[in-house]
Amino acid sequence: MLTYMCCLLLLFICVEGVYGAGTEEVKSVSVSVTEGDSISLNTDVKVQKDEQILWTFGPQETRIAEIHRQNIYIDGTDMIFEKVLQMDNQTGSLTIRNIRTEHTGLYKLQIFSSRGTSYKRFNVTVYAPLPGPVITRDYPSSSSESRCSLVCSVVNVSDVTLSWYAGISVLSNISVSDLSISLSLPLEVEYQDKNTYSCVIYNTISNQTKHLDNITQLCSEAVQSYVHSESVIPSLIYAVLGMTAVALLFFHVRSRQVDKRTSPLAPAVPRILQWMEMRREERRRGK
């Protein structure tokens, strides 16, 4: 029995040696890059005459580049890689120029030789350039005379975090992983606040910052703008009513000239003019 077990163990070792010989452990590398940049996926080897270098992309492992018998082959049939791939004939390293978001995915390197096969994987993530955040007054969400509500906003972003900072301290933040979404983050401050505030949008490789330079100016300008818009509305109403009264008076005169009879619109004209005069008087008293 002991002899039988020893024979089985020796057979297992021999089989394991045959199937495991020459195959190296798969290495995996994660790479992040901004859209428009160029990246190089390095093999860390020097190509030998008997070696074949093969690059594939995506879950289907589509061939995109290859060195075979020292000849370079670049696959130009896949439109997303057209005119963007370059391969080093000395190392087999793959360069992607002017990289785009559709180039995000898994790149697999296989090196075949008489000594066996080695593998390497590159998980590439391509981020769109970050837009600059915009700070505006959130009016009239707060009407306090001493406090002011602000909003920091960004549009068409994904996989980012938006944060308010006071100096180097984080006050609040919001994160999103969806595609092409708009984010807004509010902040309430004192008009006379002397702290240094900034709004920052960032992902794993880059960031954009907008500093809040003058709290008092931003808040007061927003209030003045709102007050101005409020004062314009009554003026427009009075202008429309004035033109209506003039039109009614014109039709009244025309009707008198045509048939010498009293127009049914005539009584309305004095009442409109009297009402407009009363409103002007009320506004003068209010001032």
Side-chain angles (χ1 to χ4, degrees), residues 27 40 47 65 72 74 77 82-83 91 96 103 106 131 134 138 147 153 163 186 197 262 275 286:
K27 299 177 182 179
S40 292
V47 179
I72 294 179
I74 301 291
T77 59
E82 186 176 13
K83 299 181 180 180
T91 64
I96 308 172
H103 296 141
L106 175 64
V134 177
D138 185 18
R147 301 186 68 83
S153 305
S163 301
Y197 292 97
T262 304
W275 181 85

Side-chain angles (χ1 to χ4, degrees), residues 26-127:
V26 177
K27 299 177 182 179
S28 184
V29 179
S30 294
V31 181
S32 297
V33 63
T34 300
E35 189 174 28
D37 291 345
S38 296
I39 62 167
S40 292
L41 308 180
N42 298 317
T43 62
D44 298 325
V45 299
K46 187 173 181 179
V47 179
Q48 305 298 318
K49 290 184 179 181
D50 65 334
E51 290 181 333
Q52 178 186 1
I53 309 293
L54 176 63
W55 285 97
T56 60
F57 172 73
Q60 303 301 323
E61 297 190 3
T62 303
R63 181 179 65 169
I64 57 175
E66 182 180 6
I67 293 181
H68 184 53
R69 295 179 180 177
Q70 296 186 313
N71 294 316
I72 294 179
Y73 171 80
I74 301 291
D75 190 350
T77 59
D78 192 331
M79 294 301 293
I80 72 168
F81 288 107
E82 186 176 13
K83 299 181 180 180
V84 300
L85 295 180
Q86 184 177 349
M87 200 173 183
D88 189 309
N89 61 351
Q90 298 295 320
T91 64
S93 296
L94 185 69
T95 298
I96 308 172
R97 304 185 305 273
N98 192 26
I99 198 166
R100 304 188 300 273
T101 53
E102 55 261 42
H103 296 141
T104 293
L106 175 64
Y107 295 77
K108 185 177 180 181
L109 166 67
Q110 300 176 70
I111 303 176
F112 305 96
S113 70
S114 58
R115 299 176 299 281
T117 304
S118 61
Y119 301 90
K120 196 172 182 180
R121 298 173 183 268
F122 296 84
N123 291 295
V124 177
T125 303
V126 183
Y127 291 92

